[in-house]
Amino acid sequence: MTEPSVVERLYFGHDEAEQDMANGLLRAGFLQTAAYDAAVSGRKMLIIGRKGSGKSAICVHLGAEGGHAGATVTITPDDAAGDEIRRFELQGLAGDTAKSLIWRYVFAVHAARHLTSHAREAHGRREPDSVKDLRKFLRDNGELPGTRLADFAAQGRERLQTNGLQLGAFGFQIGVDLGHTATEGARAGRQLEVLEDHVALAFRDLDCAAAHPPLLLLVDQLEKVWSGQADANSMVIGLLLAAKDVAVKYPGAVRCLVFLRSDIYDSLTFGEGDKFRSYEMRIDWPVPQLRRLALSRAQASAGSGLDETQLWQQVFPRQVEGEETASYLFTRALPRPRDAIQYLNLCRDRAVHNGRTQITEADVVEAGRQFSVWKLQDLAQEYLVAHPFLESLLGLFANGGYVVTRPAVASLLAQACGDLERRFPAYTESFTPEAVIDILHTVGFLGVRRGDEVVYAGGFDRPLQADEREFEIHPCFREALRAQDAVPITPYSPALRVPALARGRTPLDHDFRLLRAVVNSCDSLLRLIARAHDLPADTRQELARQVQRLRMETADALDDPTGAAAIPLHDAEGHVAGAVTHLRAWATTLRDSGLEDHGRGVGAQAVSRELNTQATGLHTRLGGLTGSTGQAGSSA
């Protein structure tokens, strides 16, 4: 049997961290990032990142055997749990504070359950009375091992709302008597404090903080139960408040790590939001780190002997479309592991499908087309809850240029606004140019030009500014939208003409002068375009290419007056008329792009004006020659 090639063995992973942990790839190819280090060290408790940025990979890795030196509990809400928490309300407490109580109850019960088994297993001595009391509490309240989060939440909600928490294990009567005047919220808070105080006492009696690493409570996948509504936001805010309290209530013995999608976190508004800045860690994936991830996954699947040079020069092609392959790939994917993994796997799959033992440039380009379509669809799905209209907005940019401006967005939106407002009446405030640009920048679809670079959301750059006017569609989406040119320049093509002989005139001297005028106009334009550094580079190159084609065709006719060239000399008028049409079309495209000239630099509007000037001059010559031989001669 033939041994599989490196490409056949190559695999970069699944879309979900849980699957990669199950098959061993996550453990073998896990990349320890700054976010991971911050989580492990305890410096941060809130890990924020976009979908697919590796939050769950950190969570799963920490929760697996050997991932954390101490014990861990992973908490992932399902619909039932989310519904219980969202419905939890208490008289006398704001929604956020009330929901923080149910999370505190869940954390306290998990800690109590951990202590009842941990005391015997880890400390090896006579069990303190405080631990025995916790065991009795759990038994009295039916909080037995294996209970789902939904059951925790349901039982906690019922008991805290009815003052029915069984606290006899701690020497209290059923419930805690605070008198008839106490509010429902005050009574629930007091019951919870009794439980938390006894959990903290047990940790102190065992000296857990000094004896071993803390218990880690890992809360992940909140997006599964988040709806964007007020009660869902309160559920998440309550979680953050409760998670922050853990370190205070059980110092050194318990830590809580919350893994939260950035779109959820950034949508929250609450009074204590500014107090979480020092707890936040936003996941960032620069290209060098994605390269490290690709290599670690490649080595985990194809063999540890595979080095970076072999991966990017032998397994993959050295270059794609003139660009170093890794740079080509990772600048055409959103900066997160899931996208990189999907793109790399797709390249590998195309090579295997095409029967190759190496990934070729053609495989990468072919994979890129499919990948772009996937990502355009995935972007709309990722933000379906917050922006259900996003797919319709993205469609507005099909078949255009990838450089867009505020005026261009306003023009596109003016055409579609009525339809959008009819289909999404609850979101009409989002259908202004300013709001649309802000949304498209936030989700990573548009980057903003700042000096010589284009900055996309997700890093640590400043937010979008109102005076920033030029943007670019992320390379990830351009193929799917057929927006591969900065500004689409219509290719030059000779116009269909009727030979001048059929019209009965052959003014060769006039024809020479007409064609020479076209060459001179092209030369003038090419000099200006070469200095047009405010134009996007590929637009400048493409426009120069088309003007050069016009010049070459015209010059060929001048060099071959017999008519053997592509442009017969006796058809000069038709050729000049076609040139005028192209120059004016290019001028209109640049003018309508909305791209501005900056300072004294030559940009789109200056080039547009010169294109129109040259077109007008040629049209005047054409009219003069066709109207009067003497007039044409004097103008030449």
Side-chain angles (χ1 to χ4, degrees):
M1 184 176 180
T2 305
E3 183 178 348
S5 67
V6 173
V7 170
E8 289 173 315
R9 298 197 309 273
L10 195 63
Y11 187 62
F12 294 94
H14 290 89
D15 293 343
E16 296 182 342
E18 292 81 2
Q19 295 187 46
D20 283 341
M21 179 57 76
N23 63 24
L25 186 61
L26 180 60
R27 190 184 303 277
F30 183 77
L31 189 65
Q32 294 192 7
T33 61
Y36 173 81
D37 293 339
V40 170
S41 67
R43 294 193 305 273
K44 305 292 181 180
M45 59 148 259
L46 180 54
I47 309 302
I48 304 168
R50 288 190 61 170
K51 181 180 180 181
S53 62
K55 302 182 303 299
S56 290
I58 297 174
C59 181
V60 169
H61 192 270
L62 287 173
E65 184 177 354
H68 170 59
T72 61
V73 175
T74 301
I75 302 169
T76 53
D78 57 14
D79 288 340
D83 184 60
E84 291 290 346
I85 298 171
R86 286 195 300 270
R87 291 194 294 121
F88 184 71
E89 296 179 354
L90 290 170
Q91 179 191 19
L93 293 182
D96 301 348
T97 305
K99 289 173 177 57
S100 74
L101 296 189
I102 196 72
W103 283 110
R104 284 168 55 189
Y105 176 80
V106 168
F107 295 158
V109 171
H110 271 302
R113 287 174 55 177
H114 161 74
L115 281 165
T116 57
S117 59
H118 167 76
R120 293 173 179 171
E121 295 171 359
H123 291 267
R125 60 184 180 181
R126 185 179 176 184
E127 191 172 79
D129 289 342
S130 56
V131 175
K132 294 176 183 177
D133 292 344
L134 288 178
R135 183 174 288 106
K136 186 176 186 305
F137 166 82
L138 294 173
R139 187 167 55 247
D140 291 347
N141 288 275
E143 299 290 10
L144 302 175
T147 306
R148 297 181 309 121
L149 175 60
D151 299 325
F152 272 127
Q155 291 172 180
R157 178 178 63 81
E158 179 181 351
R159 290 174 180 140
L160 291 173
Q161 283 179 328
T162 62
N163 200 31
L165 204 58
Q166 301 276 352
L167 299 173
F170 308 134
F172 289 84
Q173 298 176 358
I174 295 175
V176 178
D177 186 9
L178 294 178
H180 298 294
T181 59
T183 65
E184 188 179 55
R187 291 195 301 269
R190 178 64 183 129
Q191 291 182 90
L192 189 56
E193 287 173 359
V194 170
L195 170 59
E196 291 172 331
D197 288 346
H198 280 78
V199 171
L201 176 62
F203 276 120
R204 289 196 301 272
D205 287 347
L206 293 171
D207 197 23
C208 285
H212 50 70
L215 167 68
L216 275 188
L217 302 175
L218 307 170
V219 186
D220 191 22
Q221 300 182 16
L222 269 294
E223 64 272 11
K224 291 184 177 180
V225 294
W226 181 72
S227 64
Q229 302 301 313
D231 58 353
N233 287 342
S234 283
M235 174 186 65
V236 179
I237 294 169
L239 166 63
L240 298 179
L241 296 174
K244 185 164 68 73
D245 282 347
V246 163
V248 176
K249 295 183 181 299
Y250 318 115
V254 186
R255 286 201 293 112
C256 186
L257 281 173
V258 178
F259 301 87
L260 194 58
R261 267 182 33 183
S262 54
D263 57 314
I264 297 177
Y265 184 67
D266 292 340
S267 71
L268 303 177
T269 302
F270 60 112
E272 295 194 38
D274 60 328
K275 298 180 181 179
F276 282 83
R277 299 306 182 197
S278 61
Y279 295 104
E280 298 175 11
M281 181 66 185
R282 291 187 180 258
I283 298 178
D284 181 44
W285 284 92
V287 169
Q289 199 158 280
L290 290 173
R291 291 179 68 122
R292 289 175 53 207
L293 174 70
L295 180 61
S296 67
R297 293 299 183 97
Q299 290 173 335
S301 60
S304 58
L306 183 67
D307 62 26
E308 186 169 20
T309 300
Q310 291 172 323
L311 178 64
W312 297 119
Q313 296 187 18
Q314 297 176 18
V315 179
F316 280 85
R318 290 173 179 267
Q319 291 187 331
V320 178
E321 296 182 349
E323 187 176 350
E324 193 263 335
T325 300
S327 174
Y328 180 94
L329 288 167
F330 297 135
T331 55
R332 285 163 177 77
L334 294 181
R336 52 187 178 182
R338 183 173 298 170
D339 284 37
I341 287 169
Q342 289 177 347
Y343 200 174
L344 292 165
N345 279 336
L346 196 53
C347 292
R348 177 263 181 202
D349 292 346
R350 295 318 303 165
V352 171
H353 175 78
N354 292 327
R356 294 191 251 270
T357 58
Q358 290 181 307
I359 300 170
T360 67
E361 180 176 359
D363 296 324
V364 175
V365 172
E366 185 179 348
R369 298 191 189 100
Q370 179 64 67
F371 179 73
S372 183
V373 172
W374 283 355
K375 293 299 102 181
L376 193 66
Q377 296 169 346
D378 291 349
L379 187 67
Q381 289 300 312
E382 179 178 350
Y383 291 94
L384 187 61
V385 173
H387 308 303
F389 50 83
L390 184 58
E391 182 177 13
S392 298
L393 284 184
L394 301 180
L396 300 179
F397 296 87
N399 302 308
Y402 67 74
V403 173
V404 296
T405 60
R406 289 188 184 272
V409 171
S411 177
L412 289 172
L413 196 57
Q415 302 172 42
C417 194
D419 180 61
L420 288 169
E421 290 178 347
R422 184 174 65 255
R423 293 168 56 199
F424 305 100
Y427 296 89
T428 54
E429 73 281 358
S430 298
F431 304 139
T432 65
E434 295 76 15
V436 165
I437 289 171
D438 186 62
I439 290 169
L440 295 179
H441 177 68
T442 300
V443 303
F445 180 76
L446 289 181
V448 58
R449 175 161 291 283
R450 289 174 177 160
D452 293 332
E453 65 176 346
V454 177
V455 177
Y456 294 90
F460 299 95
D461 295 279
R462 69 177 187 270
L464 198 63
Q465 305 297 300
D467 60 347
E468 293 175 320
R469 300 176 60 81
E470 186 178 327
F471 309 90
E472 289 190 11
I473 297 172
H474 194 287
C476 181
F477 309 109
R478 295 175 190 174
E479 184 78 43
L481 291 168
R482 298 177 298 280
Q484 295 168 291
D485 298 317
V487 178
I489 300 299
T490 305
Y492 169 74
S493 59
L496 180 65
R497 311 175 190 81
V498 179
L501 286 174
R503 300 196 299 273
R505 59 188 299 271
T506 56
L508 295 183
D509 53 340
H510 301 155
D511 292 350
F512 270 114
R513 290 172 177 167
L514 273 177
L515 296 179
R516 176 52 60 191
V518 173
V519 170
N520 291 341
S521 290
C522 290
D523 287 340
S524 178
L525 287 167
L526 288 170
R527 287 192 295 271
L528 181 68
I529 294 169
R531 296 186 288 109
H533 298 298
D534 281 352
L535 268 181
D538 65 345
T539 301
R540 189 169 67 248
Q541 293 165 5
E542 183 60 23
L543 182 60
R545 185 180 301 114
Q546 299 307 325
V547 172
Q548 186 64 35
R549 286 184 61 193
L550 170 61
R551 186 193 186 285
M552 289 178 62
E553 189 175 62
T554 309
D556 285 346
L558 283 170
D559 294 339
D560 183 17
T562 64
I567 303 297
L569 186 57
H570 57 248
D571 196 18
E573 291 180 11
H575 175 68
V576 175
V580 169
T581 298
H582 279 88
L583 295 179
R584 285 179 172 166
W586 296 332
T588 300
T589 296
L590 292 178
R591 183 198 66 204
D592 294 346
S593 70
L595 294 173
E596 299 177 347
D597 299 349
H598 304 290
R600 298 183 179 180
V602 177
Q605 301 311 314
V607 175
S608 175
R609 290 191 295 271
E610 184 61 19
L611 284 163
N612 264 325
T613 297
Q614 296 295 337
T616 299
L618 291 174
H619 185 265
T620 299
R621 283 180 171 273
L622 188 63
L625 285 170
T626 54
S628 166
T629 299
Q631 182 181 352
S634 62
S635 66

